Amino acid sequence: DVQLVESGGGSVQAGGPLRLSCVASGYTYRRHCMGWFRQAPGKEREGVATISIGGGSTYYADSVKGRFTISRDNNKNTVYLEVNSLKPEDTAMYYCAAAVDYICWWDRFRFWGQGTQVTVS
């Protein structure tokens, strides 16, 4: 199993950058595809980005392509989500997640952090 803790959220102006971090613990961390999800009030939770266990392959939702970048530093047990230009519609609770194994399909994510709120003016 893996435990996840997100940080870096807050109130940010539209157009500004943001970097979210997710610190993972658990001996199985390096066996998992990792991802970021988000959920806005009244909306379903949606997948944002995924990254393979070695960090060599990434996948992004259409709504964030070109603006969001997911990365991982396995030596630090940390996953990052960087945004170069936030939009008001990016306002949501952002969750770090780990898939059940190396497969990065959206419905394979099983382990979740508590979330970090991002509010864009």
Side-chain angles (χ1 to χ4, degrees):
D1 292 357
V2 61
Q3 296 77 48
L4 308 169
V5 180
E6 306 96 332
S7 64
S11 297
V12 187
Q13 291 185 334
L18 186 70
R19 187 196 197 204
L20 304 180
S21 298
C22 170
V23 178
S25 61
Y27 78 97
T28 64
Y29 163 73
R30 297 181 182 183
R31 302 178 187 176
H32 299 269
C33 174
M34 300 295 295
W36 285 92
F37 291 71
R38 66 184 182 184
Q39 186 170 25
K43 301 290 186 179
E44 295 182 348
R45 183 163 58 191
E46 64 173 342
V48 175
T50 67
I51 186 166
S52 61
I53 57 175
S57 297
T58 58
Y59 181 83
Y60 299 92
D62 289 341
S63 61
V64 304
K65 287 181 180 177
R67 297 190 299 117
F68 285 41
T69 300
I70 187 172
S71 62
R72 67 191 295 170
D73 185 341
N74 289 341
N75 291 326
K76 296 182 178 180
N77 289 352
T78 303
V79 183
Y80 304 97
L81 185 69
E82 294 177 291
V83 187
N84 58 26
S85 57
L86 285 161
K87 298 179 179 180
E89 53 263 44
D90 293 323
T91 296
M93 183 73 76
Y94 283 73
Y95 298 92
C96 180
V100 66
D101 53 25
Y102 68 94
I103 301 175
C104 294
W105 300 347
W106 293 123
D107 61 355
R108 298 278 291 181
F109 286 84
R110 180 178 178 181
F111 307 100
W112 302 87
Q114 290 297 113
T116 184
Q117 178 67 40
V118 175
T119 302
V120 184
S121 63

